[in-house]
């Protein structure tokens, strides 16, 4: 029996070590210590032993049992730890944030066009001026010779702050401000936001952008205006670009004109893009500064004369880049902005 016990013990040790999960381990416990387990059965046979054998074998049986339980417990702890490690690894969540490399943004295409236009005029000797977006009615209309009944003064066309302040409807009041504070010669441009009571559609927005230009000096004539704008348009849209001056009316210039440019696709031959007219867009308004305006701004029209022009920057930006919808310029959609 002693021999049997020793064999059983080494066999137990081996099987316990080879076990890889709790179920198997439990099966082994039952195999030896269960009601019909091998060790239990041996224990039950103890009664048949002689009085001398009993204490000797009893001791070995108890040792075997203790050893076995000990080994079982140890193995159980090992298996639990191994299982925990596997589980932890599996359930691991990476809470570190993968910080993207610093990305430097860039200007809105509108802003780019504005700066490009300013640069162009700076290179021709113009100074860049600024004026407020909330403007006096006096500067926005009165001093620009705008008759009291003129439709642009209407509440349905202009955002009024009060009876005498508006959101400027064009950049022309900056002409007034510059003339009021500076003696000729004057050569200025000004870019900025302008506002009109328009519904939003693909080509209109109640907030848009203009660039204004003005030259005041002795002997400034319409010829200077036409030449200046021709140089400007060619630099902006390419050497092949032709201009067409159409008579027009503005209260603050006389004579006044609207300027069209030749179609950038067919260069004036006529194509589907320009409705076979050869002319693509009405680019700007211009004219000789009205003597009334000069007078109201403190400049003697018998000594000085000048020209002025104004144009929408949004439209130029759209034509230049083939942008079909003005909303895109204001929506801050990165998918759009990243293309520039
Ligand atoms: N202010 C005019 C407009 O907004 C444009 C313009 C400016 C016309 C200067 C003539 C001279 O339509």
């Amino acid at each position: 029996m002693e021999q049997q016990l020793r064999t059983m013990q080494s066999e137990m040790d081996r099987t316990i070590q080879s076990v890889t999960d709790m179920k198997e381990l439990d099966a082994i416990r039952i195999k030896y210590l269960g009601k019909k387990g091998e060790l239990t059965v041996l224990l039950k046979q103890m009664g048949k032993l002689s009085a001398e054998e009993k204490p000797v074998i009893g001791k070995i049986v108890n040792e075997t049992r203790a050893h076995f339980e000990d080994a079982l417990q140890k193995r159980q702890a090992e298996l639990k730890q191994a299982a925990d490690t596997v589980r932890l690894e599996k359930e691991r969540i990476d809470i570190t944030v993968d910080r993207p490399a610093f990305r430097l943004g860039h200007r809105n295409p509108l802003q780019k066009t504005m700066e490009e236009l300013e640069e162009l005029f700076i290179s021709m000797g113009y100074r860049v001026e600024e004026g407020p977006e909330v403007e006096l009615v006096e500067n926005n209309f009165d001093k620009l010779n705008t008759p009291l009944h003129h439709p642009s003064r209407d509440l349905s066309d202009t955002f009024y702050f009060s009876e005498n302040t508006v959101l400027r409807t064009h950049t022309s009041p900056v002409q007034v401000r510059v003339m009021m504070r500076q003696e000729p010669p004057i050569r200025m441009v000004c870019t900025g936001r302008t506002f009109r009571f328009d519904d939003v559609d693909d080509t209109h927005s109640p907030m848009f952008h203009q660039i204004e230009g003005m030259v005041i000096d002795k002997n400034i004539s319409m010829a200077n205006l036409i030449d200046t704008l021709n140089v400007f348009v060619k630099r902006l849209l390419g050497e092949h670009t032709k201009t067409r001056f159409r008579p027009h009316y503005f209260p603050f210039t006389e004579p006044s004109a609207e300027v069209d440019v030749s179609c950038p696709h067919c260069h004036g031959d006529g194509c589907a893009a320009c409705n076979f007219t050869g002319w693509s867009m009405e680019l700007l308004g211009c004219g000789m500064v009205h003597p009334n305006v000069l007078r109201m701004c403190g400049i003697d029209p018998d000594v000085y004369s000048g020209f002025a022009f104004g144009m929408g920057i949004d439209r130029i930006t759209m034509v230049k880049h083939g942008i079909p919808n003005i909303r895109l310029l204001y929506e801050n959609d990165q998918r759009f902005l990243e293309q520039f």
Side-chain angles (χ1 to χ4, degrees):
M1 195 162 186
E2 189 182 339
Q3 189 49 47
Q4 216 179 336
L5 277 165
R6 300 251 180 252
T7 322
M8 194 186 283
Q9 194 167 337
S10 61
E11 192 192 293
M12 279 176 184
D13 282 347
R14 251 184 295 117
T15 35
I16 286 177
Q17 279 317 307
S18 68
V19 150
T20 53
D21 68 33
M22 296 290 190
K23 253 197 200 150
E24 281 178 53
L25 199 63
D26 204 45
I28 288 168
R29 191 185 56 77
I30 292 165
K31 182 174 180 237
Y32 292 104
L33 294 180
K35 267 193 196 133
K36 288 178 191 151
E38 292 179 26
L39 198 58
T40 315
V41 171
L42 266 188
L43 269 169
K44 279 179 188 158
Q45 288 170 8
M46 290 276 287
K48 294 178 199 151
L49 292 175
S50 65
E52 305 92 69
E53 273 178 321
K54 244 185 209 167
V56 182
I57 301 295
K59 193 167 168 250
I60 300 175
V61 169
N62 282 335
E63 273 170 14
T64 307
R65 195 193 164 103
H67 176 82
F68 182 58
E69 279 172 352
D70 210 43
L72 270 181
Q73 228 166 41
K74 252 208 211 131
R75 187 67 189 145
Q76 193 174 1
E78 277 171 17
L79 286 178
K80 185 167 180 323
Q81 185 164 25
D84 282 354
T85 312
V86 169
R87 208 176 118 195
L88 277 178
E89 199 49 51
K90 213 168 81 188
E91 293 180 359
R92 181 197 193 117
I93 299 170
D94 186 358
I95 56 160
T96 56
V97 175
D98 196 9
R99 191 163 62 108
F102 182 72
R103 285 195 339 185
L104 194 62
H106 58 73
R107 286 175 182 70
N108 185 288
L110 206 53
Q111 188 67 32
K112 278 187 166 172
T113 311
M114 282 207 258
E115 285 170 17
E116 200 182 311
L117 292 171
E118 284 176 0
E119 286 298 326
L120 245 162
F121 282 104
I122 288 170
S123 77
M124 297 200 272
Y126 288 66
R127 223 165 87 169
V128 178
E129 300 280 358
E130 258 182 80
E133 289 168 8
V134 177
E135 185 55 282
L136 294 170
V137 169
E138 190 185 332
N139 294 338
N140 195 83
F141 293 125
D142 300 346
K143 285 205 162 85
L144 286 170
N145 199 38
T146 312
L148 280 172
H149 61 263
H150 195 275
S152 65
R153 287 185 184 252
D154 213 277
L155 282 170
S156 60
D157 282 330
T158 299
F159 296 108
Y160 279 82
F161 258 74
S162 64
E163 218 177 305
N164 46 25
T165 50
V166 292
L167 280 178
R168 67 178 175 195
T169 59
H170 47 183
T171 41
S172 300
V174 183
Q175 292 182 30
V176 174
R177 286 175 174 273
V178 173
M179 282 188 274
M180 298 285 291
R181 68 165 179 251
Q182 194 192 320
E183 296 277 317
I186 295 170
R187 230 184 261 173
M188 60 139 276
V189 283
C190 154
T191 58
R193 283 188 196 149
T194 46
F195 307 84
R196 285 180 201 176
F197 217 117
D198 276 329
D199 284 331
V200 180
D201 64 23
D202 287 359
T203 54
H204 291 85
S205 158
M207 190 269 291
F208 56 106
H209 299 75
Q210 283 192 337
I211 179 167
E212 188 85 13
M214 182 179 69
V215 172
I216 312 264
D217 205 345
K218 289 175 179 153
N219 301 315
I220 297 292
S221 74
M222 192 85 184
N224 299 126
L225 169 63
I226 293 172
D227 186 58
T228 301
L229 290 180
N230 274 334
V231 170
F232 161 71
V233 164
K234 282 181 198 299
R235 288 225 211 143
L236 179 70
L237 300 169
E239 273 307 312
H240 50 76
T241 315
K242 293 189 274 286
T243 53
R244 175 171 73 176
F245 287 69
R246 273 184 294 104
H248 199 73
Y249 166 78
F250 295 107
F252 32 92
T253 46
E254 180 60 34
S256 305
E258 269 190 341
V259 179
D260 300 329
V261 291
S262 55
C263 174
H265 301 288
C266 64
H267 304 321
D269 294 341
C271 68
C274 60
N275 255 333
F276 302 96
T277 59
W279 299 98
S280 80
M281 62 163 172
E282 190 188 296
L283 184 69
L284 56 86
C286 63
M288 300 307 293
V289 179
H290 198 294
N292 287 351
V293 174
L294 291 174
R295 213 172 286 121
M296 280 187 275
C297 295
I299 292 173
D300 184 350
D302 292 330
V303 181
Y304 293 105
S305 56
F307 63 76
F309 54 87
M311 69 197 105
I313 298 174
D314 308 67
R315 187 124 67 101
I316 294 175
T317 308
M318 289 167 74
V319 169
K320 260 187 81 142
H321 298 289
I323 298 166
N325 192 324
I326 197 170
R327 298 175 182 91
L328 288 165
L329 294 174
Y330 303 118
E331 278 172 349
N332 270 343
D333 187 330
Q334 237 174 325
R335 289 167 301 182
F336 168 75
L337 294 175
E338 273 169 355
Q339 297 173 47
F340 300 91

